[in-house]
Amino acid sequence: MKKLFLATAIAATSTGAFANADFSGHRVGIGASNLKFAYSGASWDIGTGVKVEYGYDFNQIFGINASYTWNQNTFDEHLDYKARTLKVDTDIGYAFDVGQAWVKPYGVVGLAFVSDEANTTDLGKLTGNDTSVYLGVGVRAQLDMGLYADLRYDLPTFDVLEADYLSFTVGYKF
């Protein structure tokens, strides 16, 4: 009886490890990011730029992410604005198995580092850097073969500006 119990316990533990191994792993992706700034009721659309991302899923609940986005817009002949953002965060949600795919709605908490540059005809080149803790939400769909698509919305608040990052990326999970 003890041997049967021990064999059953080992089999149950092994089955759980195999199930979790299906979801854990590295991800890389590329996509589009839209950035908007707001200050005292006014807002500026910095435009759609490029986003590259790396992530690692520990299991169906927790993952870590690092991404780099660059956005740029020319507002008129007097102002050219560029923003580069490095974000490091964790996503917390649950990946639901929907057959031959997974869908994971999640929340995000992270740290954003932005470096911006404004070239003006009147004042010349102005640069700045800022750091912010941010929150976000998203949903990632992943096929069993490894392809994924991720849609997310991040809300950092820098010193005097509020920012909205909306991004869509596609990639591959190893």
Side-chain angles (χ1 to χ4, degrees), residues 104-120:
K104 182 180 181 181
Y106 58 86
V108 174
V109 61
L111 195 58
F113 308 92
V114 69
S115 174
D116 56 356
E117 176 183 308
N119 289 308
T120 67

Side-chain angles (χ1 to χ4, degrees), residues 69-132:
T69 61
W70 52 96
N71 300 81
Q72 181 173 341
N73 197 358
T74 301
F75 292 98
D76 55 33
E77 67 271 2
H78 302 291
L79 176 62
D80 182 38
Y81 185 83
K82 300 174 186 171
R84 309 294 184 254
T85 309
L86 173 66
K87 295 190 274 184
V88 178
D89 62 60
T90 183
D91 62 65
I92 302 167
Y94 187 79
F96 297 96
D97 186 351
V98 291
Q100 294 187 359
W102 300 83
V103 175
K104 182 180 181 181
Y106 58 86
V108 174
V109 61
L111 195 58
F113 308 92
V114 69
S115 174
D116 56 356
E117 176 183 308
N119 289 308
T120 67
T121 55
D122 299 337
L123 300 174
K125 182 177 177 180
L126 305 171
T127 62
N129 298 303
D130 204 351
T131 304
S132 171

